[in-house]
Amino acid sequence: MITVLEAPTREEAAEAVKSALSRRRILVMVGNCWVNYQGRARSILNPGERILIIKEDGSVLVHRPKGYEPVNWQPPGCIFHSGLEGDVLFIKAVRRKPREILQVFFDKIYFLAAMSLADKGEFSLHASEEEMQKAIMNQPSLIEDGLRIIAYEKKVEPGFVDVYGVDRDGRLVVIEIKRRTAGKEAVLQLSRYVDSLRGEHGREVRGILVAPKIARQAHKTLITLGLEFKRLDPKRCAEVLAKGRLGSLEEYY
Amino acid sequence: MITVLEAPTREEAAEAVKSALSRRRILVMVGNCWVNYQGRARSILNPGERILIIKEDGSVLVHRPKGYEPVNWQPPGCIFHSGLEGDVLFIKAVRRKPREILQVFFDKIYFLAAMSLADKGEFSLHASEEEMQKAIMNQPSLIEDGLRIIAYEKKVEPGFVDVYGVDRDGRLVVIEIKRRTAGKEAVLQLSRYVDSLRGEHGREVRGILVAPKIARQAHKTLITLGLEFKRLDPKRCAEVLAKGRLGSLEEYY
DNA sequence: GAGTGGATTTCGCAT
DNA sequence: ATGCGAAGTCCACTC
């Protein structure tokens, strides 16, 4: 299932690379290389020891010995060319739309592995903004008592409002949700929505920013603009959802 | 320099992992695993065959056979615990601030490599937004004839203006630069800057959005708000800079 | 340390 | 296909 070559010659490596790419196997390679990229931007990476990964879907990663992010990459869907050019093994990954070219050149290959991996395991992620929205729909009292939800993702002029409702006194309420510290941007976005709805309805509209935290300066702006902030943790929302019998937004209607 | 184990036993693998982590070597591992993450959010990844990479700086990547992005990860600076728990090899990566825990469990290890890589190669990236700004400073006629640049990144109320100048008729000009298709967000940002400066100076202010392209709806908003759009490619800017003798913004003043 | 904006962002969803 | 906003975004830089 896995073919491993330790310290292969360039010829052996070239052969293994060609074979792996044509059979759409995953390729992991370690060696001394340099990299050129040209597309939306351009970059040059001078020689050094790195890890190259090419996946079966045609995505490419070049990883340096440090850092979470690849130094160079190519998203899925690349077409590959490879071979020997003198003493150098080159791999060229071409992407259409946008047109981008990544070229990797190896002069030393310490190690090469080609493999097919079977991965059907489900992945589930919790505590996203969508989950916060669901929780509020499910239990509007998370924001305040007497709040009734009218719509979610309502279209208003500048874009979409996360949640839209009426408070106990019959005033319109616009809710903007952020799953982490809300900044200036979120405040201004909410402000736009509120302004737009005020113009549209001509009656009082409250804007509530819902987030686990708000930046100090953003809070000042918020107050100036006559908006409100309601603290709410994604974790708390996850708990509400876990206890509620309502699983999805779709079921709500 | 590289230690490779093909199809090691769990005991051998556990030993190699412990050794690699303690000696801060890079670890590349392929096998059947499942993953839990808990921190800013929570996630569960059910069993499947994946590639695990742990770098010398304590960053972690779990890659599925497809996709450019890791399914789970941990940024640099993690502290590790590993060992055998029954028939399972576990690796636990803990990050402080924010507190996050990633746990990977292997029941089959197909392959394991531990290594130290030397990488001093310089990385250079071209055609960023900053380069577009430089090009405009260098050659304001890229925007329009008669434009004089007064300042860049001038502080105005909502934030920073990219470039700030005076046109041939003496009107203030605010320029917002985007290196790719400008969206609604860029238009609104520019609008805020223009409004702010109008209030401050009380005289006519032009707002120009500079980008290779503008979204259709964003363009409508732009027109409504009385702003302007000027098409400009990052590539074109790169050419201008290549020909110009001006290397950096600092030299401009 | 918090706040702000960019990214070769990528990704997914809705138009 | 295009547009738009979220992301466990990460990262770098400023205040």
Side-chain angles (χ1 to χ4, degrees):
Chain A
M1 203 202 73
I2 303 197
T3 309
V4 179
L5 301 180
E6 282 188 67
T9 65
R10 280 181 284 257
E11 287 72 21
E12 290 170 335
E15 191 57 41
V17 166
K18 266 213 178 318
S19 164
L21 292 177
S22 67
R23 292 158 64 195
R24 292 210 157 258
R25 301 186 89 198
I26 298 171
L27 188 65
V28 178
M29 220 168 137
V30 177
N32 197 67
C33 67
W34 52 102
V35 185
N36 292 333
Y37 156 75
Q38 179 151 19
R40 287 164 294 178
R42 257 167 304 149
S43 77
I44 292 174
L45 176 61
N46 286 325
E49 298 173 345
R50 288 122 197 177
I51 303 170
L52 168 70
I53 298 175
I54 299 178
K55 294 196 187 179
E56 58 190 45
D57 63 353
S59 47
V60 184
L61 302 166
V62 180
H63 272 280
R64 307 189 79 166
K66 292 182 185 179
Y68 145 87
E69 291 182 319
V71 59
N72 279 110
W73 71 90
Q74 203 75 291
C78 287
I79 295 166
F80 296 92
H81 305 273
S82 69
L84 283 174
E85 214 171 58
D87 274 353
V88 173
L89 166 59
F90 72 91
I91 299 175
K92 183 175 172 181
V94 180
R95 178 193 190 196
R96 264 96 162 133
K97 245 214 132 274
R99 175 85 177 175
E100 296 187 291
I101 300 171
L102 182 71
Q103 282 174 294
V104 186
F105 304 90
F106 281 89
D107 62 355
K108 291 177 214 154
I109 299 107
Y110 303 137
F111 155 96
L112 185 157
M115 64 197 88
S116 297
L117 297 182
D119 182 0
K120 298 288 177 193
E122 190 194 349
F123 178 71
S124 55
L125 177 68
H126 311 284
S128 60
E129 178 172 319
E130 189 191 348
E131 290 214 333
M132 290 184 74
Q133 189 180 344
K134 277 185 204 168
I136 292 169
M137 309 288 292
N138 202 356
Q139 196 176 120
S141 62
L142 281 169
I143 306 303
E144 67 179 28
D145 289 331
L147 177 67
R148 286 184 300 118
I149 306 302
I150 294 174
Y152 66 98
E153 308 247 320
K154 180 184 165 59
K155 178 110 181 79
V156 294
E157 235 334 280
F160 286 89
V161 162
D162 286 336
V163 177
Y164 177 72
V166 178
D167 75 4
R168 70 175 78 88
D169 300 322
R171 287 174 296 195
L172 289 179
V173 177
V174 173
I175 297 174
E176 172 73 25
I177 303 168
K178 292 293 164 201
R179 69 171 302 288
R180 41 182 185 158
T181 306
K184 183 169 54 179
E185 198 176 287
V187 172
L188 294 176
Q189 192 175 344
L190 176 59
S191 174
R192 291 242 168 223
Y193 291 142
V194 169
D195 285 349
S196 168
L197 282 169
R198 275 182 189 141
E200 192 182 315
H201 291 79
R203 59 171 169 140
E204 203 171 344
V205 179
R206 294 172 57 199
I208 304 180
L209 181 57
V210 175
K213 206 181 159 196
I214 185 169
R216 188 157 277 284
Q217 284 160 321
H219 189 256
K220 281 184 194 170
T221 312
L222 177 115
I223 296 302
T224 308
L225 293 169
L227 304 172
E228 302 165 48
F229 173 68
K230 170 68 187 179
R231 188 182 171 283
L232 186 60
D233 272 324
K235 240 176 207 176
R236 177 74 197 288
C237 291
E239 287 165 16
V240 167
L241 284 177
K243 284 178 189 170
R245 58 238 165 273
L246 196 56
S248 73
L249 283 174
E250 287 67 35
E251 295 174 47
Y252 188 80
Y253 289 95
Chain B
M1 201 201 76
I2 303 197
T3 308
V4 178
L5 300 180
E6 283 188 65
T9 65
R10 280 181 285 258
E11 287 72 20
E12 290 169 336
E15 191 56 43
V17 166
K18 265 214 179 318
S19 163
L21 291 178
S22 67
R23 291 159 64 198
R24 290 211 159 257
R25 301 186 88 198
I26 298 171
L27 187 65
V28 178
M29 219 168 139
V30 178
N32 196 67
C33 67
W34 52 102
V35 186
N36 292 333
Y37 156 75
Q38 179 151 19
R40 287 165 293 178
R42 246 169 303 161
S43 77
I44 293 174
L45 176 60
N46 286 325
E49 297 172 346
R50 288 121 198 176
I51 303 170
L52 168 70
I53 298 173
I54 300 178
K55 295 195 188 180
E56 60 190 46
D57 62 355
S59 47
V60 183
L61 303 167
V62 180
H63 273 279
R64 308 189 80 168
K66 292 182 185 180
Y68 146 87
E69 291 182 316
V71 58
N72 279 111
W73 70 91
Q74 203 73 291
C78 287
I79 294 165
F80 296 91
H81 306 273
S82 69
L84 283 173
E85 212 172 61
D87 274 353
V88 173
L89 167 59
F90 72 90
I91 300 176
K92 182 175 171 181
V94 180
R95 179 193 188 193
R96 265 97 160 125
K97 241 215 146 297
R99 175 83 178 175
E100 295 187 292
I101 299 172
L102 182 72
Q103 281 174 294
V104 186
F105 303 91
F106 281 90
D107 62 355
K108 290 176 215 156
I109 300 106
Y110 304 135
F111 158 91
L112 186 158
M115 64 198 88
S116 297
L117 298 181
D119 183 358
K120 298 288 178 195
E122 191 195 348
F123 177 70
S124 56
L125 178 67
H126 312 281
S128 60
E129 179 171 316
E130 190 190 349
E131 290 213 332
M132 289 185 73
Q133 191 185 59
K134 278 185 205 166
I136 292 169
M137 310 289 291
N138 201 357
Q139 196 176 119
S141 63
L142 281 169
I143 305 303
E144 66 177 31
D145 289 331
L147 177 67
R148 286 184 299 115
I149 305 304
I150 296 174
Y152 66 98
E153 303 226 328
K154 180 184 164 57
K155 183 105 181 92
V156 294
E157 239 330 285
F160 288 90
V161 163
D162 286 334
V163 178
Y164 177 70
V166 177
D167 75 4
R168 70 175 78 87
D169 301 321
R171 287 174 296 194
L172 288 178
V173 176
V174 173
I175 296 175
E176 171 74 24
I177 303 168
K178 292 295 162 198
R179 67 174 303 287
R180 34 179 190 158
T181 305
K184 187 167 48 183
E185 199 176 287
V187 173
L188 294 176
Q189 192 174 341
L190 175 59
S191 173
R192 276 181 239 135
Y193 291 142
V194 169
D195 285 350
S196 167
L197 281 171
R198 275 184 188 140
E200 191 182 318
H201 289 81
R203 59 171 168 137
E204 203 172 345
V205 180
R206 292 172 59 200
I208 304 180
L209 181 57
V210 175
K213 206 182 159 196
I214 184 168
R216 187 157 279 283
Q217 282 162 321
H219 189 256
K220 281 185 194 169
T221 311
L222 176 117
I223 296 302
T224 306
L225 294 169
L227 304 172
E228 302 164 51
F229 173 68
K230 170 67 189 179
R231 187 182 172 285
L232 185 60
D233 272 325
K235 239 175 209 177
R236 177 74 197 288
C237 292
E239 286 165 19
V240 167
L241 285 177
K243 284 178 190 171
R245 56 236 167 277
L246 196 56
S248 74
L249 283 173
E250 287 67 34
E251 295 173 46
Y252 189 81
Y253 290 94

